[in-house]
Amino acid sequence: MKILVAVKRVVDYNVKVRVKSDNSGVDIANVKMSMNPFDEIAVEEAIRLKEAGVATEVVVVTAGVTQCQETLRTALAIGADRAILVETEVELQPLAVAKILKALADKEEAQILLLGKQAIDDDSNQTGQMLASLLDIPQATYASKVVVADGSATVTREVDGGLETIALALPAVITTDLRLNEPRYVTLPNIMKAKKKPIEIITPESLGVDIAPRLKTIKVEEPPKRSAGVIVADVAALIDKLKNEAKVI
């Protein structure tokens, strides 16, 4: 069984994001970049499935600029077998990414497609669902537990009302939530081994995929600064402010 894992290069979650002076987007110049945390969980889960004897090969894929190879090397150091970079300078939107992944899924004939539930930069939470629709296969989003056996997957997913467990026939798309696992620490020996693992570089055109943007960003702004809180003398003053100033009651 082959598992295809999609990863994305994003601004590191520890970095304070800054908006460009012209409000055209986020400034990523000289900013630390890393693998999207939800995608790192997806890679870890794929490796665990391989270690359990469920999968025979783990292939990681990303789409973007040349520097995305660093993200792929991290996934290879975690334990993936090989990597694919779909190189492009175009800013990819969720539908374009889903189309790229569909083309690769058809080419690789993967049985499980693992993705993070969302990326921490745009928070779209769309690619996994779009991919399942394009492939016309089952999907399980927000997975907190995955069990694969006898050609099917049992996935426990987090929903508003608690937990839901569903069974999927393979092939299927699974998107990972935070509580699925804790990614392992990447050791120096594995980082060195990752340098010898293959990264295939292709283009969207070679896959026959149209990645033209469908959406246009008009303006990016920082959220307004919160005003300082006030201390009220008693409950009556609090109720008065909630009623007459905040107008929430």
Side-chain angles (χ1 to χ4, degrees), residues 1-4 104-113 171-172:
M1 180 187 294
K2 184 184 296 184
I3 301 178
L4 188 69
L104 289 172
D106 291 337
K107 177 183 176 183
E108 295 288 337
E109 297 181 345
Q111 290 296 99
I112 299 178
L113 303 164

Side-chain angles (χ1 to χ4, degrees), residues 63-102:
V65 296
T66 304
Q67 291 86 339
C68 290
Q69 291 187 50
E70 300 170 7
T71 305
L72 292 176
R73 290 293 179 196
T74 301
L76 292 172
I78 294 174
D81 298 295
R82 57 187 176 91
I84 301 172
L85 169 61
V86 183
E87 191 170 10
T88 177
E89 295 290 334
V90 176
E91 185 177 348
L92 297 172
Q93 295 174 353
L95 180 59
V97 177
K99 289 179 178 179
I100 289 172
L101 294 177
K102 178 193 181 299

Side-chain angles (χ1 to χ4, degrees), residues 203-222:
T203 63
E205 291 75 22
S206 68
L207 296 173
V209 175
D210 174 20
I211 60 171
R214 265 66 176 177
L215 304 174
K216 181 180 179 181
T217 301
I218 304 299
K219 190 177 183 181
V220 177
E221 294 182 306
E222 290 189 10

